[in-house]
Amino acid sequence: MNRRRLLLGLPLGVVAVAATGWGVMLARMREGEFDPHTLPSPLIGRHVPDFSLPGLGGGSFASGITGTELQKPGRPMLVNFFASWCVPCVEEAPVLAQLAHQGLPLWGITYKDAPDATAAYLASHGNPYARIAVDRPGRVAIDWGVYGVPETYLIDAAGIVRWRFAGALTNTVIDRDLVPLLRTAS
Amino acid sequence: MIPELGHFAIALACVIAAAQAVLSIWGAHRGDARLIAAAPALALGQFIAVGLSFLALVWSGVVSDFSVMNVAEYSSALTPLLYKITGTWGNHEGSILLWCLILSLCGATIAVFGRGLPSALRARVIGVLGAVSCGFLLFTLTASDPFNRIWPPPPDGQGVNPLLQDPGLAFHPPILYAGYVGFSIAFAFAVASLIEGRVDAAWGRWVRPWTLAAWCFLTCGIALGSWWSYYELGWGGYWFWDPVENASLLPWLTGTALLHSAIVVEKREALKIWSVLLAIITFSLSLSGTFLVRSGLLNSVHAFANDPTRGIFILALLGIVIGGSLLLFALRAPVLVPAGIFAPISREGALVLNNILLCAIAAVVLVGTMYPPFVQLLFGQQISVGKPFFDSTVIPLAAPVMAAMGLGPVLSWKRAALAPALIRLWWAALAALVVGLIAAHGLGAIPALGFGFALWMVLSAAAELVERGRLFRVPLSVSWARLRQLPRASYGAAIGHAGLGVTVAGMVGMSLAVHSIQLVKPGQTVALGGYRWMLVSLHDQPGPNWMGRVATLQVNDAASGRLVAIMHPGKRSFPLQQTTTTDVSIKTNGLRDLYVAMGDERGGGVVLRLHVNPLAPWIWFGALIMAIGGWLSLSDRRLRIGAPLRRVATARRGPVVPAE
Amino acid sequence: MSRRAPLVAAVLVALAAAPAWAVSDPAELLSNPAQEARAEAIGARLRCLVCQNESIEDSNADLARDIRTIIRQQVVAGRSNREIVGYMVQRYGNFILLKPPFNAMTFALWATPFLAIALGLIIAVGAAWRRHGKRAETSPPLTAAERKRLETILHP
């Protein structure tokens, strides 16, 4: 009889477990810690892939970016994929400027964007990037596993990708995710 | 003013629902005749109040009162009248109100048509429905008010979503919700019987028609949704194993199982505890289906506005309804006495197999849908569970269901022998085998198996009727008389089973579809699937709130040159919403669809997506046949008249020795 | 997702998917039907990353189009299906596979059909067994109505 009672209680148990799971998810989602719509990058813990992209051209952006440069940068740095047609990129521009101002090296790769349009974008929203390369066909982005812009990657001194954030960076995200990582990455 | 009245009506309905829940259940518990008698009146009152608030929302839509946020966001002055009305439920708040309306309608239906039920049971059923209603009306009031005002009102609304400006989708939600919410009645019966501590043959007889009605609506609702995605989305698919689609399939699967297990309860008083559990599970899945897809946790193409705060409210509500009923089940189910013994090979045995397999499919679909967020929560990894997974797990489970489906109805109750049953079906089996072998020759193993099973389902359903009428064994006049005396439920079951066969044939045919994407200039011809498709011209076509661009195609048979069809695929751009919809052109002859969707224009030509879809219309036609079978069963006199008389059922069991 | 510029051409709207269909440019298709069929079969197994539940073949997103093109280039270059899928998994992880691979993490998922059938059979057989045993000892207890009826029969 006891086993029967246990069996009859089974549905309740299953539902309780499932509901707890959903509850935790929803609560964390509200805190912004859980987002079913972002995916983790397979690049984390690895070197960035080999690639070579031309620079944006004009003044200090003549030189492009290659994979080998990022595979041993010597100090932690950020790589940011962006485009002039991307609205959240505009949103995160001030945050990036602030990061660059604090001395964190920031390199940019434009995604499917005409260099003229990028130049105009930088002129109106400011330029936080130390180097900018151009990925017009978007193939290098695919090699990185980029699935939208903006995306920001943290690469440590040894050239290992430590963190990827998809979407517009905010101060909350930086304080929560990036700052602790920077402490260990340097 | 009207919107405020609508808002007030929801509040009133909520209070009535609370009274309905508390007074009815308490009254039934105390045996208070006055409170018991008040239950139907409260249920009707609640329905009227919700109905008024719904009318108020429709009214706000019809008169384009843009100070109501809901109207401003989903309607506009230019929207055609039909879509001003249907637009009221084409959004989150309105659809929840529609949901509440149907739930209150269920209570009212029990109040009106449940006169033959024992009054205490009726009061409990109405009370349970009232409790559920109360929760969701409270949700409407606090977290999803459809009458929210905006001030100042915008000069014009943002317009109905162009995709919803389509008759198929406009009526999809009411039908689908009638199915979802209809299962609340079976749920209420289950909970009421748990409170009473009693389930008997009469319970099965009461629950079955309500379940059947809900099942018919759900079948139609799912079919309509699938048909809509076939002709509106324009890439020739009809089922994507999307979470929202799965959410509607889940209650359908367990509801189908309940439909069958309730027969066993009614005829043999077996599977009682299981049927009660199934009733609870089916409605729980309906609830989860409607609400969890709105929580933003599932990756779905049919995205509602997501709001985690709202999600937590919904989760708490679902927890109370589902958890509460399952707790009651765990506590009270041991009181229910199991009865009814049967051999593994028997009608009951076949129905148990049907239940196990249907529930296994439901479990796979449920786990597959919920797995990704749980994996992310536990392991921090993202995985996808999509069409290839479901295809490879559901099809092997569905195959034995189809095989057993033909066999079950010819087995006798209690104890049956397999051999005579198989002998009675020999011609159906042989025909299915022959068709399967022929198909295997030209089409490959999987389609051959599918066609074989499809034919088997149709023919075995026919064979069952032949058998019952002793057709070809007794004189035709005798057979005719026998067939005329068969209860409508028998015809309903046979038609329902045959309908599934037709749907399966359609799905298999669809898997053999061919398509081609071509850039075509006027005058050019494309060959595909034995047809020659010529683009004749491209022209503009203005609409009320959209601009259209239409192509004219002439399709000829490649072999004979005969003209088969003139087709007009098009595109509509809606300037207000800045969206474009494709207007697919489909020409069917019942055996195959010619399907053209229009893409971008460039260089004087246009990109056309051409499909030849064999047997495609059968998918939805089969679903319609299934629903017709259901309605036919519902019209069976036994279900309407025999049902309420519990004492008859008791008396029939005989004085001392139970029927077995 | 809402705080991010999606690469999809049409943004998803309430209740329904974007209506435009994939492959708007026939030029991206391969002229060799066997190769094109292979490419389509591979694409149907991969998820469009920026959409919700569509395959690469069904999606009209820019990224899906790029990935379709890469698949076709690799098919032409003579890569095997496994290599092409592996190439995608290396970049986007198992998330891109619509049919998740069998591993420790997906064990419960793949075991579900077997577990469900087994549980169903155990419950059914167990219930039948218990009832079978019980029948020998007692018949089900009479309900109140039956007892009353019995009374009237025995003591008229």
Side-chain angles (χ1 to χ4, degrees), chain B residues 161 163-164 233-235 242-243 299-300 302-304 340-341 367 371 379 384 386 519 580 597-599 602 607 653, chain C residues 14-17 19 21-22 24-26 40 47 52-54 95 97-98 100 105 108-110 112 117 131 135 146 150:
Chain B
N161 178 350
L163 278 171
L164 304 185
L233 295 186
W235 63 69
D242 181 82
N299 280 324
S300 162
H302 309 263
F304 271 97
I341 297 165
V367 171
Y371 211 72
F379 306 106
S384 300
L519 180 64
T580 309
M598 185 172 149
R602 71 171 76 100
V607 177
R653 270 166 60 184
Chain C
L15 203 84
W21 30 271
S24 52
D25 186 3
E40 277 175 26
R47 179 192 192 125
Q52 298 300 351
N53 228 340
E54 295 163 74
F95 181 72
L97 299 175
L98 280 170
M105 212 162 58
L109 177 70
W110 283 105
T112 303
I117 294 278
R131 230 164 294 162
R135 182 171 62 152
E146 284 167 342
L150 184 63

Side-chain angles (χ1 to χ4, degrees), chain B residues 300-654:
Chain B
S300 162
V301 292
H302 309 263
F304 271 97
N306 297 326
D307 179 352
T309 313
R310 210 178 243 176
I312 287 174
F313 194 127
I314 288 171
L315 187 72
L317 202 54
L318 293 192
I320 293 169
V321 174
I322 300 173
S325 54
L326 286 176
L327 180 67
L328 191 68
F329 175 81
L331 294 176
R332 296 285 288 171
V335 178
L336 304 177
V337 187
I341 297 165
F342 52 87
I345 305 287
S346 63
R347 181 85 68 89
E348 294 97 315
L351 289 170
V352 167
L353 182 68
N354 146 307
N355 268 235
I356 292 176
L357 290 167
L358 282 174
C359 290
I361 297 176
V364 167
V365 176
L366 181 68
V367 171
T369 310
M370 308 271 263
Y371 211 72
F374 275 92
V375 163
Q376 197 190 356
L377 182 70
L378 295 176
F379 306 106
Q381 302 252 351
Q382 275 274 26
I383 63 162
S384 300
V385 178
K387 187 170 160 34
F389 169 81
F390 290 110
D391 281 349
S392 62
T393 47
V394 168
I395 292 172
L397 288 172
V401 177
M402 297 188 239
M405 230 170 80
L407 208 54
V410 296
L411 294 176
S412 51
W413 294 102
K414 275 182 89 174
R415 180 172 290 122
L418 209 51
L422 282 172
I423 287 168
R424 277 180 252 171
L425 292 172
W426 69 269
W427 55 274
L430 186 70
L433 196 68
V434 169
V435 163
L437 285 176
I438 294 172
H441 197 65
L443 305 173
I446 304 277
L449 221 58
F451 280 131
F453 273 126
L455 191 68
W456 161 249
M457 281 186 271
V458 175
L459 290 183
S460 59
E464 195 223 334
L465 293 179
V466 165
E467 185 55 37
R468 295 227 183 177
R470 300 267 188 280
L471 217 59
F472 312 121
R473 271 187 280 160
V474 293
L476 216 54
S477 57
V478 179
S479 286
W480 175 243
R482 285 185 69 100
L483 284 173
R484 278 190 43 180
Q485 275 168 7
L486 270 186
R488 286 195 191 165
S490 301
Y491 285 107
I495 290 173
H497 286 183
L500 185 62
V502 173
T503 294
V504 168
M507 289 171 175
V508 179
M510 211 33 195
S511 73
L512 302 168
V514 290
H515 72 269
S516 172
I517 295 158
Q518 303 275 352
L519 180 64
V520 194
K521 289 190 171 142
Q524 280 184 337
T525 302
V526 178
L528 175 75
Y531 298 94
R532 293 168 53 77
W533 314 61
M534 189 176 82
L535 179 65
V536 179
S537 66
L538 282 165
H539 47 268
D540 286 326
Q541 187 195 56
N545 57 347
W546 40 267
M547 277 301 302
R549 188 85 175 133
V550 178
T552 301
L553 272 95
Q554 183 180 323
V555 186
N556 291 75
D557 194 285
S560 67
R562 187 174 52 86
L563 178 69
V564 179
I566 303 281
M567 304 180 74
H568 300 284
K571 283 177 86 129
R572 290 176 182 180
S573 54
F574 291 75
L576 193 57
Q577 295 87 357
Q578 300 185 338
T579 342
T580 309
T581 65
T582 47
D583 198 8
V584 175
S585 173
I586 301 171
K587 289 281 173 189
T588 184
N589 66 357
L591 289 175
R592 56 103 191 93
D593 277 1
L594 301 176
Y595 181 109
V596 185
M598 185 172 149
D600 299 335
E601 284 181 60
R602 71 171 76 100
V606 63
V607 177
L608 293 176
R609 187 178 179 115
L610 314 170
H611 288 247
V612 179
N613 296 332
L615 301 186
W618 290 26
I619 297 174
W620 307 286
F621 184 56
L624 191 65
I625 296 177
M626 281 190 257
I628 289 172
W631 290 119
L632 195 66
S633 286
L634 265 182
S635 71
D636 195 317
R637 279 185 82 245
R638 293 182 306 171
L639 282 181
R640 279 177 289 127
I641 295 185
L645 305 173
R646 177 172 258 171
R647 61 201 142 74
V648 175
T650 321
R652 208 182 46 203
R653 270 166 60 184

Side-chain angles (χ1 to χ4, degrees), chain C residues 2 23 33 35 69-70 75 87-88 92-93 103 107 133 138 143 145 152:
Chain C
S2 60
V23 198
Q35 288 183 338
T69 311
I70 293 175
V75 165
Y87 176 94
M88 292 302 165
Y92 290 101
N103 57 32
F107 174 78
T138 55
T143 62
T152 53

Side-chain angles (χ1 to χ4, degrees), chain B residues 77-145:
Chain B
L78 277 179
T79 306
L81 179 65
L82 174 69
Y83 300 109
K84 280 185 181 169
I85 298 171
T86 62
T88 50
W89 59 71
N91 58 75
H92 173 84
E93 290 82 7
S95 65
I96 297 284
L97 188 60
L98 175 69
W99 203 93
C100 291
L101 176 72
I102 297 174
L103 186 57
S104 66
L105 176 66
C106 288
T109 321
I110 290 284
V112 173
F113 294 106
R115 294 227 170 89
L117 292 171
S119 56
L121 179 70
R122 179 162 68 147
R124 285 194 174 104
V125 169
I126 288 177
V128 173
L129 287 171
V132 178
S133 255
C134 180
F136 286 96
L137 287 168
L138 208 57
F139 171 67
T140 310
L141 275 179
T142 52
S144 120
D145 182 7

Side-chain angles (χ1 to χ4, degrees), chain A residues 81-83 85-86 88-89 109 111 146-151 167, chain C residues 4-7:
Chain A
F81 283 81
F82 71 104
W85 45 263
C86 142
C89 297
I109 298 177
Y111 178 81
V146 170
Y147 65 101
V149 276
E151 265 183 33
Chain C
R4 189 169 152 75
L7 298 182

Side-chain angles (χ1 to χ4, degrees), chain B residues 649-659, chain C residues 142 146 149 153:
Chain B
T650 321
R652 208 182 46 203
R653 270 166 60 184
V656 185
V657 187
Chain C
L142 299 182
E146 284 167 342
R149 214 175 128 77
I153 290 169

